[in-house]
C-alpha cells in the first residue's frame, strides 16, 4: 500500500478540515468492518455498539475522553515514527503518555485498534499541516503550485513517518490493512470533491489526469523520504525533488485555461 491515497488535498476548498468528525469516522467505522463481534473484558461486544461508544467518546460531550484519546495517539504516533511499529508496545505507549492501563483500554481495547487509530490520526494531522501550508499562500492556485514543497515538509514530520511504518506493517496484518484501506477510500472521496471544486474555480481541465499527477507526487515523495533515510544521499534527493516539482507545476499549468 503506497502513498496516502489522496489524503493531503482535503485542505483545498472553502471549509476547513473537520478533524473531530474524521477521527470518529476513521477510528471507529472503518476499522471495525471485519469485526462483527469482539471481546472486551471478557464480554462479547458487537461492532455497532463499539462504534457508538467510540463515537460518544470522541464527541463534544466527553472532552476529557477526547483529550485522553489524543494524548495516547500522540504518544503512539511519536513512538512508531521514532522506533518503529514492532517496538511500539502498548506498555511503551503507556509509559510515554503517563497514563494508566485502564485509561488505554477504555479508549483502545486492543493494540490493533490503537495502531489503526494512530494511522488514521496521522492522516488527519498531515491534512492539517498541508492545509496550513496552503493557506499561508492566501491563494489556492499559488498554493497548488507550491504543493511539492509543502508535501515534502509534511513527509518529514512525525505523523507521515508513523503512517509509513503502519502501512508497511499492514502488509502482514489483514485487520490493519483493511482499516487503512477503508480510511484512505473515505479520504479519496473527499479529495476528489475538493479537487473538483478547485478545478471549477480556476477552469482547470483534465481532472482525472490532475488526480493522477497528485497521486504520483504523493507516492514519489514518500519513497524519497524513505530512500533518503536509508541511503543518506541529500544531493540526489534534492535533485529528484526539483524534477518532481518541475513536472507537477508543468502539469498544473498545462491544465489552466489559455
Amino acid at each position: 500500500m503506497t502513498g496516502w491515497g489522496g489524503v493531503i488535498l482535503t485542505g483545498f476548498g472553502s471549509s476547513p478540515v473537520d478533524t473531530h468528525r474524521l477521527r470518529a469516522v476513521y477510528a471507529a467505522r472503518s476499522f471495525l468492518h471485519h469485526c462483527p463481534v469482539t471481546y472486551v473484558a471478557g464480554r462479547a461486544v458487537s461492532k455497532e455498539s463499539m462504534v457508538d461508544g467510540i463515537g460518544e467518546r470522541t464527541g463534544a460531550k466527553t472532552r476529557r475522553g477526547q483529550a485522553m484519546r489524543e494524548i495516547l495517539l500522540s504518544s503512539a504516533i511519536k513512538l512508531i515514527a521514532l522506533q518503529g511499529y514492532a517496538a511500539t508496545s502498548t506498555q511503551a505507549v503507556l509509559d510515554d503518555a503517563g497514563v494508566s492501563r485502564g485509561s488505554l483500554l477504555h479508549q483502545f481495547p486492543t493494540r490493533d485498534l490503537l495502531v489503526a487509530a494512530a494511522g488514521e490520526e496521522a492522516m488527519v494531522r498531515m491534512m492539517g499541516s498541508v492545509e496550513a501550508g496552503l493557506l499561508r499562500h492566501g491563494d489556492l492556485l499559488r498554493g497548488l503550485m507550491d504543493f511539492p514543497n509543502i508535501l515534502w515538509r509534511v513527509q518529514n514530520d512525525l505523523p507521515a513517518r508513523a503512517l509509513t511504518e503502519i502501512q508497511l506493517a499492514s502488509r502482514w496484518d489483514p485487520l490493519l490493512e483493511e482499516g487503512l484501506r477503508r480510511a484512505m477510500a473515505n479520504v479519496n472521496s473527499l479529495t476528489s470533491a475538493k479537487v473538483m471544486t478547485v478545478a471549477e474555480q480556476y477552469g482547470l481541465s483534465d481532472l482525472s489526469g490532475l488526480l493522477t499527477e497528485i497521486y504520483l507526487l504523493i507516492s514519489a515523495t514518500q519513497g524519497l523520504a524513505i530512500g533518503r533515510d536509508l541511503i543518506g544521499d541529500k544531493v540526489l534527493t534534492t535533485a529528484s525533488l526539483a524534477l518532481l516539482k518541475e513536472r507537477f507545476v508543468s502539469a498544473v499549468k498545462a491544465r489552466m485555461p489559455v
Side-chain angles (χ1 to χ4, degrees), residues 4-75:
W4 310 346
V7 170
I8 44 186
L9 271 186
T10 308
F12 279 113
S14 58
S15 59
V17 176
D18 185 347
T19 56
H20 291 295
R21 180 179 65 82
L22 287 174
R23 286 175 185 136
V25 171
Y26 296 162
R29 289 184 169 82
S30 66
F31 216 77
L32 294 172
H33 177 63
H34 280 321
C35 299
V37 175
T38 189
Y39 289 84
V40 179
R43 179 171 58 89
V45 180
S46 70
K47 70 175 183 179
E48 288 81 7
S49 62
M50 284 194 69
V51 167
D52 291 342
I54 293 174
E56 290 171 1
R57 288 200 295 274
T58 58
K61 294 182 179 179
T62 54
R63 296 179 185 274
R64 183 177 179 181
Q66 177 64 26
M68 176 61 67
R69 179 184 177 85
E70 292 184 8
I71 289 171
L72 289 166
L73 291 179
S74 292
S75 290

Side-chain angles (χ1 to χ4, degrees), residues 129-161:
S129 295
V130 169
E131 182 174 21
L134 294 169
L135 293 177
R136 279 198 296 268
H137 287 276
D139 177 85
L140 286 179
L141 190 57
R142 286 203 297 268
L144 184 61
M145 293 295 188
D146 193 41
F147 187 51
N149 292 329
I150 296 171
L151 178 56
W152 179 245
R153 289 193 292 270
V154 172
Q155 290 281 26
N156 286 279
D157 289 340
L158 291 182
R161 291 174 177 269

Side-chain angles (χ1 to χ4, degrees), residues 211-241:
L211 287 171
T212 299
E213 292 288 345
I214 289 168
Y215 182 78
L216 174 62
L217 183 62
I218 293 169
S219 299
T221 52
Q222 186 181 37
L224 277 177
I226 296 172
R228 188 271 319 276
D229 290 343
L230 292 175
I231 301 173
D233 192 331
K234 295 183 179 180
V235 174
L236 184 59
T237 299
T238 300
S240 299
L241 283 171

Side-chain angles (χ1 to χ4, degrees), residues 166-212:
I166 295 169
Q167 286 176 313
L168 293 174
S170 72
R171 295 176 301 169
W172 318 114
D173 188 328
L175 181 61
L176 186 58
E177 179 183 22
E178 177 64 16
L180 289 179
R181 190 183 304 279
R182 288 170 58 82
M184 287 182 174
N186 289 337
V187 172
N188 282 343
S189 297
L190 293 172
T191 298
S192 297
K194 292 290 186 179
V195 173
M196 179 71 77
T197 299
V198 176
E200 291 176 351
Q201 181 177 349
Y202 292 97
L204 302 180
S205 60
D206 186 20
L207 175 60
S208 62
L210 180 60
L211 287 171
T212 299

